[in-house]
Amino acid sequence: MAVKKQKEADKEKLAEQTFRALTKVFKHNGIAVRREQLSRSRAYRVKSGSCFLKQERMLFVDNRLSAVQQNSILTDFLFDTKLEVTTECLEALSPASRKLVENHFA
């Protein structure tokens, strides 16, 4: 049981490191990333996404999502917008995330 908890903790730690590394990519491209508890109701459901706020481009990620889902939102947005990814940013990513990004931009 302790081994399983440790593996989950390691996975969460890696996902958090990946999130921070991806956030640096966005910051380098002038996009601020914020985790927020996005509003929801019966009539509508807000999803993570981008907008302009006071002339600043923002990307909001629902903090109720799992770390893996949050990273998926960031990578999807990265691929859709074709942002510049520096070597320094790539090196900060986990090997699996780095390979995913490199393959997409190859």
Side-chain angles (χ1 to χ4, degrees):
M1 188 69 157
V3 172
K4 185 176 179 181
K5 285 186 179 182
Q6 184 60 44
K7 283 184 179 181
E8 288 177 24
D10 290 345
K11 185 177 177 182
E12 282 295 314
K13 183 178 178 182
L14 180 61
E16 180 62 29
Q17 289 171 344
T18 300
F19 185 91
R20 290 176 191 264
L22 288 168
T23 299
K24 288 179 184 178
V25 173
F26 288 97
K27 186 176 182 180
H28 174 76
N29 286 277
I31 302 171
V33 177
R34 288 179 38 182
R35 287 178 172 155
E36 301 278 338
Q37 186 168 337
L38 301 177
S39 298
R40 295 179 183 182
S41 77
R42 287 181 156 187
Y44 65 92
R45 184 176 194 143
V46 176
K47 296 182 179 182
S48 301
S50 69
C51 68
F52 283 93
L53 180 64
K54 297 182 181 179
Q55 306 300 319
E56 182 179 11
R57 192 159 184 200
M58 307 284 298
L59 176 61
F60 290 93
V61 179
D62 194 334
N63 65 5
R64 291 175 287 194
L65 298 174
S66 72
V68 172
Q69 290 172 314
Q70 291 179 24
N71 288 337
S72 177
I73 288 167
L74 292 182
T75 53
D76 287 348
F77 191 80
L78 177 68
F79 297 157
D80 290 345
T81 56
K82 299 181 175 118
L83 299 176
E84 177 187 352
V85 182
T86 64
T87 303
E88 179 185 338
C89 291
L90 274 176
E91 290 172 355
L93 294 173
S94 68
S97 297
R98 185 179 319 120
K99 185 174 182 179
L100 178 69
V101 171
E102 288 173 337
N103 288 342
H104 182 77
F105 288 107

